[in-house]
Amino acid sequence: MLTFACTVCGAGQEGTEWAYLAMTGVVSLTPLAMIGGVAWWLYRASKRREAEDALRAQALEALSPAPRR
């Protein structure tokens, strides 16, 4: 007699192997996608901040009086 570690997993229906493989992929890739999403968000926020700083510097330069000669 063959004994499985889990009666649910061991007594699964035929043809459901794809579900186990798919869920393994989902469970494995979800944390990586979350980390990638946070890294992408930080990158975009950094670029947005740089653009705002550049615009602010241009505005201050345009408002400052011309140097006297």
Side-chain angles (χ1 to χ4, degrees), residues 49-68:
R49 179 69 183 256
E50 287 176 5
E52 289 172 358
D53 289 345
L55 285 174
R56 190 174 293 118
Q58 286 177 348
L60 287 175
E61 185 177 306
L63 292 175
S64 65
R68 295 185 180 177

Side-chain angles (χ1 to χ4, degrees), residues 3-11:
T3 304
F4 294 104
C6 173
T7 59
V8 175
C9 297

Side-chain angles (χ1 to χ4, degrees), residues 16-54:
T16 59
E17 295 87 13
W18 67 271
Y20 290 108
L21 290 175
M23 289 312 299
T24 299
V26 167
V27 170
S28 297
L29 294 177
T30 298
L32 296 175
M34 291 174 65
I35 291 169
V38 169
W40 178 78
W41 179 76
L42 288 172
Y43 172 77
R44 296 291 298 163
S46 169
K47 290 298 182 181
R48 188 178 321 118
R49 179 69 183 256
E50 287 176 5
E52 289 172 358
D53 289 345

